[in-house]
Amino acid sequence: YYLGTDHGKTNIFMNPAGLGLLSMQATCSLTTHRYDPNNLYQTPPIPIETIPIKDAFVSFLFGYQIMPSYYTIKQSLSNDTGSLRNWCLKASKDGKHWVDLQIHTNDTTLNKKK
């Protein structure tokens, strides 16, 4: 949202992918429910999902260097068995050497609320 509002300078949101500020890559095919993956940056976001394979990842590429102070991850919850449990937030300056910023292992915070 921050990028889509010109770094918070305007209340008008524009898709940062459409502005060339952000793009996304994935190690596996994306099931997009007939939508372009860049629609993830819409408000409200359009759901996407990766095919469940070992070491799958989704990478967000920024047009400039950033250092995130926080992030938000959201998933649709039809049941707890499909909840995201293990993920890492990583950073790289060159796309080859990666630094772990945050690691989640067996994390249940995204379970369906009862």
Side-chain angles (χ1 to χ4, degrees):
Y1 190 82
Y2 180 73
L3 290 177
T5 56
D6 191 17
H7 305 92
K9 296 176 187 168
T10 179
N11 291 332
I12 300 169
F13 179 85
M14 295 182 69
N15 185 333
L19 298 172
L21 299 173
L22 185 64
S23 63
M24 182 175 66
Q25 294 179 339
T27 56
C28 56
S29 298
L30 293 170
T31 303
T32 62
H33 308 289
R34 77 182 182 277
Y35 295 107
D36 182 314
N38 286 328
N39 288 341
L40 177 67
Y41 313 118
Q42 303 280 46
T43 51
I46 296 171
I48 64 165
E49 58 189 49
T50 59
I51 297 170
I53 61 173
K54 183 174 173 42
D55 297 329
F57 73 82
V58 175
S59 176
F60 297 93
L61 306 169
F62 295 85
Y64 50 89
Q65 187 172 330
I66 67 160
M67 182 58 176
S69 55
Y70 64 91
Y71 70 99
T72 302
I73 188 166
K74 184 178 179 180
Q75 67 176 14
S76 57
L77 294 173
S78 57
N79 60 51
D80 287 344
T81 59
S83 296
L84 187 60
R85 296 269 193 264
N86 305 294
W87 73 95
C88 300
L89 178 64
K90 296 182 177 221
S92 174
K93 291 182 180 179
D94 60 10
K96 296 176 185 171
H97 302 92
W98 294 88
V99 175
D100 292 332
L101 301 178
Q102 191 166 23
I103 299 172
H104 295 265
T105 305
N106 228 4
D107 190 324
T108 59
T109 57
L110 296 178
N111 280 3
K112 185 175 180 180
K113 301 294 182 205
K114 305 228 187 279

